[in-house]
Amino acid sequence: MKLADLYLSLRDWEEVRAQALHDNLLQARTESTAKRTCREAIARLKTLTESELTFLAEANHQDQAHLLWVAVCRLYRFIADFAVEVLRERFVAMKLDLSFEDFDAFYNRKSEWHDELDNASASTRDKLRQVLFRMLREAGLLAKDKTINAVLLSPRLVELLRQNNPDEFFYFPVYESDIRGMSA
């Protein structure tokens, strides 16, 4: 949020990066951590439109979490595919639990088509799974007991997604009828 606010005042991502690192805005313990965290956060924020960034700065915590989830999905096709093909599909099928085995099966299917996944070590796959499940919890899409949470998007967020790309509603555990209502 600090980086988004800074961008709205500076309107230049390079200046945001420089100031964030200079002021240790993200309160990292080491310079390398600060650089990595800043680079990743800015990459995600850059996927958002100006109106989405403005909304992010003034939105409540849940809307912020949902919009940041969209940003992650825009940046990482693997995560977007997982959201659509596993998270949402399990929700629609009324299978409201999400297990590590669901992730592993998805990963294995994707690795058949992507050598970089097939060549990744088991520890890399495990770390990816751990980080993805943490992101799902932080976005409010998954409970601590790995139960999928139904999502109710705010009218303003719905409008922003509708303007940009209505297919992005599929990143959330919502029913087809809800999507028709949102994207109409």
Side-chain angles (χ1 to χ4, degrees):
M1 296 313 309
K2 292 175 183 178
L3 295 176
D5 289 339
L6 190 55
Y7 174 79
L8 290 172
S9 66
L10 298 175
R11 301 288 184 193
D12 182 313
W13 286 114
E14 258 320 295
E15 287 184 40
V16 169
R17 186 189 68 72
Q19 187 170 335
L21 293 175
H22 179 269
D23 298 344
N24 195 16
L25 194 62
L26 301 176
Q27 299 180 349
R29 288 189 291 226
T30 66
E31 185 179 348
S32 62
T33 300
K35 286 180 178 178
R36 186 177 58 251
T37 304
C38 191
R39 181 179 58 245
E40 178 64 26
I42 287 174
R44 293 176 189 183
L45 292 171
K46 281 176 141 181
T47 69
L48 301 176
T49 66
E50 289 286 322
S51 56
E52 288 169 340
L53 284 165
T54 301
F55 174 70
L56 184 65
E58 58 198 35
N60 65 36
H61 178 74
Q62 192 60 64
D63 281 338
Q64 290 172 341
H66 288 156
L67 188 53
L68 291 173
W69 173 249
V70 170
V72 166
C73 289
R74 287 177 183 169
L75 186 59
Y76 297 109
R77 185 75 210 166
F78 179 86
I79 294 175
D81 288 350
F82 182 84
V84 173
E85 297 172 25
V86 180
L87 179 72
R88 184 175 172 280
E89 286 303 316
R90 288 192 65 77
F91 179 78
V92 169
M94 303 292 279
K95 296 176 183 171
L96 301 181
D97 60 312
L98 186 67
S99 69
F100 286 163
E101 290 77 21
D102 296 318
F103 173 88
D104 292 341
F106 172 78
Y107 187 96
N108 291 336
R109 281 193 315 273
K110 290 295 180 182
S111 69
E112 292 174 9
W113 297 97
H114 299 278
D115 288 340
E116 66 276 15
L117 294 176
D118 198 32
N119 295 331
S121 69
S123 62
T124 297
R125 185 192 65 237
D126 292 347
K127 183 68 174 176
L128 177 58
R129 180 179 59 206
Q130 174 190 1
V131 169
L132 178 55
F133 274 67
R134 187 177 71 236
M135 284 183 193
L136 288 165
R137 284 191 304 276
E138 289 173 356
L141 308 180
L142 193 66
K144 285 185 179 180
D145 67 356
K146 297 182 187 159
T147 302
I148 299 169
N149 294 325
V151 170
L152 182 60
L153 302 174
S154 71
R156 178 81 194 280
L157 183 55
V158 166
E159 184 57 33
L160 288 169
L161 293 178
R162 185 183 303 135
Q163 289 171 4
N164 189 52
N165 181 359
D167 288 343
E168 292 177 334
F169 290 119
F170 291 114
Y171 298 156
F172 296 97
V174 292
Y175 294 107
E176 194 77 36
S177 58
D178 296 334
I179 292 171
R180 278 194 302 274
M182 288 181 217
S183 60

